[in-house]
Amino acid sequence: MAVIDVFRAFTTAAVALANGASRIVMVGTVEEALDLRARGVAQACIGEVRGRMPPGFDFGNSPFEVSAVQFQGRTLVQRTSAGTRGIVSAKCAERLYASSLVTASATARALVSGRPSCVTLVAMGRDGMVRTDEDESCALHLRNLVEGRAGDPDAVRRVILAGSEAGRFSDPGRPHLRPGDLDIALDVDRYDFAVRVDVEDAGLAARMERSI
C-alpha cells in the first residue's frame, strides 16, 4: 500500500531523509509528537495543524524549509492533518509506503518488488477529506508505473499547476506555503529511494528503502 500526500507531508519526509534523518516516526496527534521528543525518542518535531506549524514544533510541514537542514542521523517525529494520519490508519498493511512525486518511480519499484496480488494507492487529499489534483494525479502516475507504463511526469505537473491547490503557494496571505515547497513537490523522481514505513518500538517509523 502507498499512502500519497504530495502537498506536503511526504515530500517533506523524503527531503528530511535525504538530508540525513535516520528515521521519521509518523503520528496522528500533536501531543504524541511532543511526547516522543520529550522522552528522547525523537530529537525534533515537524508537521502542521491546518497547514501551520503547531506551537512547540521545530519545523513546519515545508520541504523547502527542511531542505536547508542537515539532520545528521537524528530521529524526527512528524504529524500532519492528512498524510501521517493516513499512515496511522493504514498501519496494518502488509507493506506500507509514504509516497509523493519526488519518490514516485522508486515507490513503484518497491510496490511491485514482492510480486503482490494487489496494490492499494490511497490519495489523501486536503485534510484527508477533499480530493485534490496533486494526490489524485500522483496516484494515477503510480498506477501507470506499477502496471508497467512509463507515465508522463510533464503531464502530471501541468495538470497540478492548472489546479486550484498550486495557486495557494503564491498567495501572500499564506506565508507558510512557500513557492519553494511547490517547486520541490513537483520535482518528479527527485530521489531514488522509497519511504518505507514499518512498525517499530517507537511507533510507525519511516526510513529510506532503495530497490536492489
Side-chain angles (χ1 to χ4, degrees):
M1 175 184 286
V3 177
I4 299 163
D5 191 330
V6 175
F7 293 163
R8 297 165 287 166
F10 299 150
T11 302
T12 302
V15 172
L17 289 170
N19 280 13
S22 62
R23 63 178 178 172
I24 301 173
V25 181
M26 296 184 171
V27 299
T29 68
V30 168
E31 291 75 19
E32 289 175 280
L34 294 172
D35 178 65
L36 286 172
R37 190 187 62 188
R39 291 193 286 116
V41 175
Q43 287 73 58
C45 295
I46 62 174
E48 52 79 26
V49 173
R50 297 179 182 174
R52 298 178 183 272
M53 183 175 72
F57 271 42
D58 303 283
F59 302 98
N61 188 37
S62 168
F64 180 77
E65 179 184 11
V66 301
S67 70
V69 181
Q70 293 300 315
F71 290 104
Q72 299 174 326
R74 285 186 284 173
T75 293
L76 310 180
V77 57
Q78 184 182 33
R79 185 277 175 195
T80 68
S81 299
T84 67
R85 294 172 75 185
I87 289 291
V88 171
S89 296
K91 63 184 178 182
C92 293
E94 184 176 345
R95 296 174 69 192
L96 182 57
Y97 293 90
S99 185
S100 60
L101 287 171
V102 297
T103 58
S105 290
T107 301
R109 291 193 300 271
L111 287 168
V112 302
S113 64
R115 299 182 182 274
S117 59
C118 177
V119 172
T120 302
L121 306 174
V122 181
M124 288 305 299
R126 191 190 315 153
D127 296 330
M129 299 290 290
V130 180
R131 296 175 69 170
T132 57
D133 292 333
E134 72 279 0
D135 291 349
E136 299 282 330
S137 296
C138 184
L140 291 171
H141 183 59
L142 279 173
R143 187 187 72 178
N144 279 330
L145 298 176
V146 165
E147 294 180 350
R149 294 181 291 274
D152 188 338
D154 289 335
V156 171
R157 280 189 287 264
R158 286 196 298 271
V159 168
I160 294 171
L161 287 170
S164 60
E165 295 297 310
R168 298 188 302 147
F169 292 89
S170 57
D171 181 351
R174 298 177 179 180
H176 57 289
L177 298 177
R178 299 168 169 87
D181 289 342
L182 180 63
D183 293 340
I184 294 174
L186 298 186
D187 188 4
V188 180
D189 293 336
R190 181 185 181 98
Y191 302 117
D192 65 350
F193 61 84
V195 179
R196 173 76 177 264
V197 183
D198 289 300
V199 178
E200 299 182 1
D201 290 343
L204 292 161
R207 299 177 185 269
M208 286 186 186
E209 179 180 279
R210 286 189 167 92
S211 300
I212 298 174

